[in-house]
Amino acid sequence: MNDFVYKWRNPIFGSVSVVLFFLGWEALLTWAIPLNPFIMSKPSLIFEGLWLEMQSGQLWSDLLISGQPFIFGFGAAIVVGIFVGTMMGWRARVGYALDPLLTALYASPLVAIAPLVIIFFGVGVSGKAILIFVLCVFPFVFNTYAGVKSVDRLLVNVVRSLGGNERDIYLKVIVPSVLPFIIAGARYAIGRALVGILVGEFFAATAGIGYRIAWFSDMFELSRMFGYILVMMVVAVLFTEGIRWAERAAFPWRVGM
Amino acid sequence: MVAYIEAKNVNLIFTPPNRMPVTALKDFNISVGEGEFVSIVGPSGCGKSTFLNVLLGLIPPHSGEMAINGKRVSGPGQDRAMVFQEFGLLPWRTVLNNVELGLELKGVATSERRPVSQKFIEMVGLAGFEGHYPHELSGGMKQRVGLARALATDPDVLLMDEPFAALDAQTRDIMQAELLRIWQEAKKTVLFVTHQIEEAVYLSDRVIVMTKRPGRAKKIIDIPLPRPRDYEMRVTQEFNDLKLQLWNELKDELTVHGNG
Amino acid sequence: MNDTTSTAVSPVPASAAPVRDEGLGEITRRTFWEANERHALGIGFIVFVLLLWEVIPHILTLSRGMDLFFTTPTQVAMTLYNMFASGEIWPAFKFSAVAFSVGLGLSIVAALPLGVIIGRSHTMNAMLDPFITAFNATPRLVFLPIILVWFGIGMWSVVVVVFIGAVFPLLINTYAGVRNADRLLINVVRSFGASEWQINKLVILPNSMPFIIAGLRLAIGRAILGIVVAEFFGGSSEGIGVMMNDAAGKFQVDIVFAGLVIFMALSLVMVGGVKVLEARLSRWRPENVKSF
Ligand SMILES: Nc1ncnc2c1ncn2[C@@H]1O[C@H](COP(=O)(O)OP(=O)(O)OP(=O)(O)O)[C@@H](O)[C@H]1O
Ligand SMILES: [Mg+2]
């Protein structure tokens, strides 16, 4: 019993406080303050609205629509980012040449070119996918670059001296050293991709999670808007914590990178 | 003998979050006279550091009484100072500022604490390193900074947790001699934890042997060697007999499998 | 740097200088290229990209419609120059700068104490962790519509967007730094009689500094992002973001890029400033852990 409490202390405290938060919110707007539906909503209404959206299938179709450009943009960012990052780490001169330019671009708020991208490529999948690509490619580039640079020459020599061939060097040294960096990059990139989806859909869209959030707010349907915000939060947490969990499971030796 | 430091039935259980509780001290009893030099030896993990921490006032015991000079220990006090096993230097402070820490917290003015800390830095052989940061020092040098820091506050009770463990043999000999000199001049009470039987015999009036965890004081051995002690004393028959006696007490407590 | 200061701080005795110059000219020259190859390549590549961009319209004929979307670096530079020379940029610049500073300032004021509290209390940490994790993972942009409902169009909405962007990296890093504080060091200063307040001053704060500064670096990026998105999506009717959005609607591509250059310059300058601060404050750290 004691053992159980020790082990689960943090999750228990966390869940309790989340439940208390929702109960407190509900209670406050039920008994203490009269609810003005044009500026606020409460959990019972939010969950009811969300339930209706699920039943009508609207939520799922919005998720699908937002998911498409995400998959294209993110996939392209992975491929291009890993390629460029590997070249930079592999050939020092490529690294020297690209580093300052890409650093400057990475440091700048690239969402600022969103209006141009959308006007140029249209409000469909391609505009959003390109926006997501532009935002996500940098974490992959820089993390792969750092990962390749961090490969321990000593380990390469050790494997070689033990009779390993090029393949062994790749599979036993280089990939295991670089992969954790790339996955950590994916964790940063996910957040940026979600920003890309929202920006794209806030600007111009006819469906999708971001579009729906903006639309509900224009219609003063705050309960539904909060419901969609909640969905967005759950998706974001699932993605980032999922990657974190995978990192811990796959690379226990580099916890906390 | 009038007890100056007295521990009566001290019990201490660690309850770390998300882990099983660990009993570190069980019915721990000792009594030390004023100005006495007492060493504590015992297997690794038996609770020596824990006991010093309780005496220092950092960890409250779960039951039992701990008193210094008749006053119950209820928290840290400036009559005590510890030389920490893991040094505990503030990495963002230079050697000089680390040594000054205790004086600073006592509220001694900068102009007054400078010469004091300088004196102890010289005593531990670190003159010229005043401006260095801990990461620029070797393990033995860090340990000597910790020693200088504790001595600089001029405490009545000096608690030393394996203070010479990281030193090379020659520096260790010099530091032992310095410690004995300071102890005799300033009449401090010293509690000295060590894993070195020879060191314990050479320095102490009495040696406490602890059992494996949960730690108790198993046996107290008097060291009736005359003072002042010198280096040659270590090759006498009497000295070797004491070492053997201590070893015999200790070896029963040592197990290959640690102390689960 | 002028001559007087450089000689005043030079640790090398003056007499040593001519001796070094004698036979080492060769080596000095070679290491000069070696030391600067990196920068030469980096700057060279940026210049190359800009030149390429500049000459594209001269070698390719852009189709009508396409040329609407095209601008050149010189055009962007001219536009930037005119904006600053005529002073028309200043009201927008001032609006964005004030929103940025107030939002970031508020986030620092809120994050540091809260971070220390959460870092030092297991219970608070366990209870607030789900909220912090969730809000940090979610793009804060998702709250923009509700922020507009609550705060209306204007400065405050932008400030709030900046604030919620910047506060989480600072909060998380502060409490990570506080949590990371070595128990032993806390015990050491406690054993010398330090009060809670002195423990914070002597151990917790210096130990958290590198974390807080890393958080500040992230927070600056998030704050600038916040300015851009808030101003894009109707958080205000002023500011550089509004200027860019309007320009994009009128196909004034050079203005969009001019705005981007301004934001880029601001973030580089500020991140550079933070790096200088970091270097100054981390003299005590061993080289290999200095940057993370
Ligand atoms: N803060 C703590 N939390 C939980 N358990 C602890 C803590 N400090 C010590 N322990 C446990 O208490 C026991 C005694 O530890 P202590 O440090 O006092 O041993 P020690 O005798 O000083 O050993 P050594 O000779 O190796 O320094 C050990 O089993 C250790 O695991
Ligand atoms: Mg110990």
Side-chain angles (χ1 to χ4, degrees):
Chain A
M1 180 60 207
N2 249 355
D3 198 15
F4 179 83
V5 174
Y6 279 126
K7 189 143 184 268
W8 294 98
R9 205 182 105 117
N10 284 13
I12 291 172
F13 271 49
S15 328
V16 167
S17 77
V18 171
V19 170
L20 281 181
F21 171 76
F22 280 109
L23 288 180
W25 181 1
E26 182 76 32
L28 199 67
L29 289 177
T30 306
W31 292 299
I33 306 167
L35 176 67
N36 176 350
F38 292 108
I39 57 168
M40 202 49 204
S41 183
K42 57 181 186 177
S44 56
L45 298 176
I46 293 171
F47 286 114
E48 188 194 323
L50 205 53
W51 176 243
L52 293 175
E53 295 289 338
M54 281 186 205
Q55 278 198 317
S56 71
Q58 184 70 58
L59 177 62
W60 313 123
S61 99
D62 282 330
L63 276 173
L64 264 177
I65 284 172
S66 299
Q68 266 178 24
F70 171 79
I71 289 172
F72 292 131
F74 202 73
I78 293 177
V79 174
V80 175
I82 291 178
F83 175 75
V84 174
T86 309
M87 293 311 286
M88 288 171 73
W90 186 43
R91 288 274 169 257
R93 294 225 165 90
V94 177
Y96 292 162
L98 295 184
D99 196 358
L101 178 67
L102 298 186
T103 304
L105 289 176
Y106 191 21
S108 58
L110 284 171
V111 286
I113 61 161
L116 283 184
V117 172
I118 300 291
I119 291 171
F120 197 84
F121 293 98
V123 296
V125 173
S126 54
K128 284 181 238 162
I130 285 169
L131 193 56
I132 292 170
F133 169 79
V134 168
L135 291 178
C136 293
V137 73
F138 294 100
F140 284 110
V141 170
F142 281 104
N143 274 40
T144 311
Y145 181 33
V148 172
K149 273 200 302 187
S150 82
V151 171
D152 193 342
R153 296 227 59 89
L154 179 65
L155 287 182
V156 174
N157 289 336
V158 167
V159 172
R160 197 167 274 148
S161 73
L162 292 173
N165 54 25
E166 287 300 304
R167 219 192 104 173
D168 291 321
I169 291 172
Y170 271 99
L171 289 184
K172 299 201 162 78
V173 180
I174 297 187
V175 171
S177 331
V178 180
L179 211 52
F181 283 85
I182 296 178
I183 306 271
R187 202 166 34 147
Y188 297 117
I190 284 281
R192 294 167 70 92
L194 297 177
V195 171
I197 293 181
L198 288 175
V199 170
E201 293 184 349
F202 277 0
F203 255 115
T206 49
I209 298 281
Y211 165 75
R212 207 65 72 184
I213 289 175
W215 188 74
F216 283 139
S217 130
D218 288 345
M219 299 288 114
F220 289 103
E221 286 264 15
L222 291 197
S223 300
R224 309 244 171 155
M225 183 191 71
F226 274 115
Y228 267 63
I229 290 179
L230 218 55
V231 169
M232 195 73 197
M233 294 182 87
V234 169
V235 169
V237 169
L238 285 182
F239 270 131
T240 36
E241 291 305 296
I243 294 179
R244 226 185 267 279
W245 177 86
E247 281 178 293
R248 272 195 294 262
F251 322 114
W253 66 91
R254 29 182 354 134
V255 171
M257 190 177 83
Chain B
M1 178 191 68
V2 188
Y4 183 68
I5 298 174
E6 181 136 58
K8 268 198 206 132
N9 296 321
V10 172
N11 284 293
L12 191 122
I13 304 160
F14 284 109
T15 50
N18 303 334
R19 263 188 231 286
M20 288 299 282
V22 177
T23 308
L25 296 172
K26 198 171 168 74
D27 297 327
F28 191 92
N29 289 293
I30 61 164
S31 126
V32 176
E34 183 165 11
E36 219 183 349
F37 196 123
V38 172
S39 287
I40 302 175
V41 298
S44 178
C46 73
K48 304 181 293 294
S49 300
T50 305
F51 171 67
L52 291 193
N53 278 323
V54 174
L55 189 55
L56 196 58
L58 289 178
I59 316 174
H62 286 97
S63 63
E65 280 296 315
M66 187 81 92
I68 296 180
N69 203 8
K71 281 219 320 272
R72 210 172 73 86
V73 173
S74 60
Q78 280 160 341
D79 54 336
R80 285 153 278 162
M82 170 109 115
V83 182
F84 288 84
Q85 187 175 2
E86 295 99 353
F87 321 143
L89 306 184
L90 303 181
W92 42 83
R93 285 190 165 214
T94 59
V95 166
L96 180 68
N97 290 332
N98 261 296
V99 172
E100 279 185 354
L101 177 73
L103 296 169
E104 190 182 321
L105 287 168
K106 265 186 169 175
V108 179
T110 316
S111 56
E112 284 173 52
R113 61 192 195 227
R114 254 324 106 84
V116 179
S117 35
Q118 196 60 46
K119 182 180 105 189
F120 283 100
I121 288 173
E122 273 157 31
M123 196 209 88
V124 299
L126 286 177
F129 289 93
E130 292 85 352
H132 282 55
Y133 287 98
H135 77 86
E136 300 167 310
L137 304 178
S138 73
M141 291 161 91
K142 286 184 213 171
Q143 196 155 46
R144 284 181 276 153
V145 177
L147 183 64
R149 177 176 65 187
L151 291 173
T153 59
D154 190 24
D156 300 333
V157 178
L158 194 52
L159 307 175
M160 309 182 82
D161 199 351
E162 304 186 33
F164 302 150
L167 303 186
D168 61 279
Q170 290 75 36
T171 313
R172 176 187 280 252
D173 289 338
I174 297 170
M175 288 297 125
Q176 285 172 348
E178 280 296 323
L179 175 61
L180 284 182
R181 186 181 61 75
I182 291 172
W183 168 69
Q184 253 153 356
E185 274 175 13
K187 279 287 140 217
K188 295 183 188 307
T189 308
V190 179
L191 270 176
F192 189 98
V193 169
T194 177
H195 281 291
Q196 285 235 321
I197 291 175
E198 176 158 328
E199 183 172 69
V201 173
Y202 179 59
L203 296 175
S204 315
D205 296 323
R206 289 188 299 150
V207 180
I208 298 171
V209 182
M210 281 179 72
T211 63
K212 59 181 178 247
R213 194 170 59 91
R216 276 182 305 106
K218 171 192 179 187
K219 175 98 187 183
I220 297 173
I221 295 174
D222 280 314
I223 309 293
L225 298 173
R227 294 202 189 255
R229 295 184 184 163
D230 54 31
Y231 199 78
E232 284 82 48
M233 207 176 261
R234 300 186 189 212
V235 293
T236 59
Q237 185 61 43
E238 196 184 1
F239 193 90
N240 278 317
D241 288 346
L242 286 164
K243 266 170 74 180
L244 194 61
Q245 187 190 354
L246 200 49
W247 166 244
N248 281 327
E249 288 297 337
L250 200 52
K251 74 169 185 234
D252 299 338
E253 303 302 324
L254 303 176
T255 51
V256 187
H257 304 292
N259 40 60
Chain C
M1 205 198 313
N2 64 43
D3 268 344
T4 34
T5 49
S6 72
T7 43
V9 297
S10 169
V12 183
S15 60
V19 183
R20 271 183 70 202
D21 263 354
E22 288 285 287
L24 296 174
E26 186 68 30
I27 296 170
T28 322
R29 221 166 297 140
R30 207 175 55 214
T31 50
F32 177 80
W33 168 244
E34 268 170 14
N36 291 287
E37 182 188 12
R38 218 195 148 118
H39 302 295
L41 281 171
I43 295 166
F45 189 72
I46 292 180
V47 171
F48 169 75
V49 168
L50 290 176
L51 277 177
L52 191 69
W53 185 1
E54 186 70 41
V55 301
I56 281 182
H58 299 291
I59 46 180
L60 297 174
T61 29
L62 296 168
S63 61
R64 282 181 62 78
M66 183 79 167
D67 58 358
L68 273 181
F69 294 103
F70 215 86
T71 184
T72 57
T74 42
Q75 261 174 31
V76 174
M78 283 302 291
T79 310
L80 258 179
Y81 176 79
N82 288 336
M83 281 173 167
F84 280 96
S86 71
E88 64 180 297
I89 185 79
W90 290 119
F93 192 88
K94 215 180 109 194
F95 180 90
S96 298
V98 169
F100 173 86
S101 321
V102 174
L104 187 64
L106 285 177
S107 71
I108 293 174
V109 169
L112 296 195
L114 194 57
V116 172
I117 293 170
I118 299 176
R120 299 215 66 186
S121 152
H122 274 287
T123 317
M124 284 289 275
N125 180 45
M127 289 183 43
L128 292 181
D129 187 62
F131 297 99
I132 294 171
T133 309
F135 278 98
N136 187 49
T138 313
R140 265 41 59 78
L141 185 53
V142 81
F143 302 108
L144 186 64
I146 189 68
I147 289 171
L148 290 182
V149 169
W150 286 340
F151 294 90
I153 292 174
M155 174 74 83
W156 279 113
S157 276
V158 182
V159 166
V160 171
V161 173
V162 171
F163 173 84
I164 60 171
V167 76
F168 289 101
L170 276 168
L171 180 63
I172 289 174
N173 273 40
T174 305
Y175 91 68
V178 171
R179 289 288 288 279
N180 162 281
D182 195 342
R183 269 236 68 84
L184 174 68
L185 296 186
I186 296 176
N187 278 342
V188 168
V189 298
R190 240 170 21 107
S191 81
F192 286 109
S195 61
E196 267 310 293
W197 173 244
Q198 283 169 319
I199 292 174
N200 283 333
K201 197 184 90 182
L202 292 172
V203 181
I204 308 285
L205 204 61
N207 190 74
S208 321
M209 234 354 139
F211 290 79
I212 294 175
I213 287 176
L216 189 60
R217 231 159 47 192
L218 284 172
I220 287 174
R222 299 271 184 92
I224 289 184
L225 185 79
I227 289 278
V228 176
V229 295
E231 292 182 358
F232 270 12
F233 298 110
S236 76
S237 48
E238 296 173 75
I240 296 179
V242 173
M243 177 192 88
M244 291 168 76
N245 202 14
D246 290 349
K250 291 183 242 160
F251 300 108
Q252 292 167 328
V253 181
D254 51 336
I255 297 184
V256 178
F257 277 103
L260 189 63
V261 170
I262 293 175
F263 280 129
M264 196 189 269
L266 283 181
S267 40
L268 287 179
V269 166
M270 268 178 297
V271 169
V274 172
K275 278 201 174 141
V276 170
L277 186 71
E278 187 171 23
R280 285 190 142 221
L281 288 176
S282 51
R283 237 156 46 78
W284 55 271
R285 307 181 78 202
E287 285 307 324
N288 56 348
V289 298
K290 227 167 214 173
S291 66
F292 60 85

